[in-house]
Amino acid sequence: MKRRAKRNKARKRKKAEKALQEKMNLFEKIPTECKACLKAFDKTNKDMVMSWNVVVREEEGIVRLYCPECWNAARKLVEEVHYG
């Protein structure tokens, strides 16, 4: 019984480590500019990090970055199209 518990714990830990590594790999793919307007993004600027939007397509391994202005414009457009 103890052996099975140890194996299950090891499997869970390995799975969690793999998931973390995948997320770290995606983090490295964060672009340095807005996908829409090409405004520069500074990863060391806390205000930018907190206000910009990241869209991740895990299956495709795609990471897109949008500045607040472009993100809000896109949301407004979607609302207009969707809600009339």
Side-chain angles (χ1 to χ4, degrees):
M1 194 91 151
K2 283 185 178 182
R3 219 179 283 158
R4 186 185 313 167
K6 283 184 180 181
R7 274 188 266 151
N8 285 340
K9 189 174 181 181
R11 284 186 200 135
K12 286 180 183 179
R13 185 180 67 240
K14 195 169 192 172
K15 190 175 181 179
E17 288 173 358
K18 184 179 177 183
L20 178 62
Q21 183 60 43
E22 289 172 0
K23 299 224 184 303
M24 290 301 293
N25 289 341
L26 289 174
F27 182 76
E28 292 172 3
K29 290 183 177 183
I30 291 179
T32 57
E33 58 191 17
C34 175
K35 176 74 174 170
C37 71
L38 306 179
K39 183 187 296 183
F41 176 72
D42 180 7
K43 292 179 185 180
T44 62
N45 182 320
K46 186 176 180 178
D47 291 331
M48 280 187 162
V49 170
M50 298 303 289
S51 62
W52 286 47
N53 292 277
V54 179
V55 177
V56 178
R57 303 270 186 209
E58 287 187 53
E59 292 176 6
E60 297 90 1
I62 297 172
V63 180
R64 294 188 177 120
L65 182 68
Y66 298 95
C67 70
E69 293 83 13
C70 292
W71 184 260
N72 290 334
R75 286 187 62 183
K76 184 178 178 183
L77 181 63
V78 168
E79 287 177 7
E80 288 175 5
V81 169
H82 191 274
Y83 299 111

